[in-house]
Amino acid sequence: KLDSLFFSNEVSIKTGDIKRDERINRLVERTNFIKSLRKAFKIAEIEGDSCIKVYKDGASAFSPIHAFKVVDESNTSNTRAIVLYEYLTTDVGINQKRITHIRFEVHQPNSIFEQVFEYLGDRVGKPVRYWYSGRWIPRSGREYTTGLDMPLVQWLSLNEEADGIYGQSTFLDFKDIIFALESRLSSELWV
């Protein structure tokens, strides 16, 4: 219902400059940004948080299960960076992979920094040089300048007031009721 409330009408972006509005709305349409925004909103409803990563040709919404915020110690509502990480695997046999490395991507205003480390199962090891997606990432990491005064990853939180940093699912209030109903239904079907 919340999704329908927010996205039932066509979304229009107004900046006060008609020419700029036309360019922005063409870009939004070409990149399917509203579709990604809607997906991010749905994920945030379920999980409490979601992220949108903007690319040259579009945007993608994703669950922040492999992401975290870096906040200002004295003002937790000030997000200084968003860190994404992914486990990298190596083939160790037929249809068998093992996690051997972990890649970090730090998004800040005007820059993205990436670096790969050894993954030792319970901890992060030393930085390494790594071939990733058609390019080498040096041991010292690589920084990219974006030219934008905001990070290319935006964080969406619902009910952030719960802990001040991360959101809370809108389903949390009736989660226990649903669990009890599912348990009862399972028991009755079994009998």
Side-chain angles (χ1 to χ4, degrees), residues 7 16 44 74 130 137 187:
F7 296 101
S74 60
Y130 195 87
I137 300 173
S187 298

Short mmCIF file of all heavy atoms in Angstrom, two decimals, residues 7 16 44 74 130 137 187:
data_model
loop_
_atom_site.label_atom_id
_atom_site.label_comp_id
_atom_site.label_asym_id
_atom_site.label_seq_id
_atom_site.Cartn_x
_atom_site.Cartn_y
_atom_site.Cartn_z
N PHE A 7 4.00 5.84 -5.50
CA PHE A 7 4.32 5.71 -6.92
C PHE A 7 3.11 5.52 -7.83
O PHE A 7 3.27 5.17 -8.99
CB PHE A 7 5.30 4.55 -7.13
CG PHE A 7 6.62 4.77 -6.47
CD1 PHE A 7 6.93 4.16 -5.27
CD2 PHE A 7 7.56 5.60 -7.05
CE1 PHE A 7 8.15 4.37 -4.66
CE2 PHE A 7 8.79 5.82 -6.44
CZ PHE A 7 9.09 5.20 -5.25
N GLY A 16 12.87 24.39 -11.08
CA GLY A 16 12.67 25.81 -11.27
C GLY A 16 13.22 26.31 -12.60
O GLY A 16 12.96 27.43 -13.01
N ALA A 44 13.45 -1.32 1.27
CA ALA A 44 13.51 -0.62 2.56
C ALA A 44 12.28 -0.93 3.42
O ALA A 44 12.39 -1.01 4.64
CB ALA A 44 13.63 0.89 2.33
N SER A 74 30.34 12.40 16.27
CA SER A 74 29.59 13.34 17.09
C SER A 74 28.20 13.65 16.51
O SER A 74 27.38 14.26 17.18
CB SER A 74 30.37 14.64 17.26
OG SER A 74 30.61 15.22 15.99
N TYR A 130 44.89 -7.52 -7.45
CA TYR A 130 43.84 -8.46 -7.86
C TYR A 130 43.27 -8.07 -9.22
O TYR A 130 43.00 -6.90 -9.48
CB TYR A 130 42.72 -8.46 -6.80
CG TYR A 130 41.77 -9.60 -6.92
CD1 TYR A 130 42.03 -10.82 -6.29
CD2 TYR A 130 40.59 -9.47 -7.64
CE1 TYR A 130 41.14 -11.88 -6.40
CE2 TYR A 130 39.70 -10.52 -7.75
CZ TYR A 130 39.99 -11.73 -7.13
OH TYR A 130 39.11 -12.78 -7.22
N ILE A 137 43.45 -4.17 -9.80
CA ILE A 137 43.34 -3.29 -8.63
C ILE A 137 44.66 -3.43 -7.89
O ILE A 137 45.01 -4.53 -7.44
CB ILE A 137 42.16 -3.69 -7.72
CG1 ILE A 137 40.84 -3.62 -8.49
CG2 ILE A 137 42.13 -2.80 -6.48
CD1 ILE A 137 39.65 -4.17 -7.73
N SER A 187 0.84 -26.33 12.08
CA SER A 187 0.43 -27.40 13.01
C SER A 187 -0.89 -28.02 12.56
O SER A 187 -1.05 -29.24 12.56
CB SER A 187 0.29 -26.87 14.43
OG SER A 187 1.50 -26.37 14.89
#
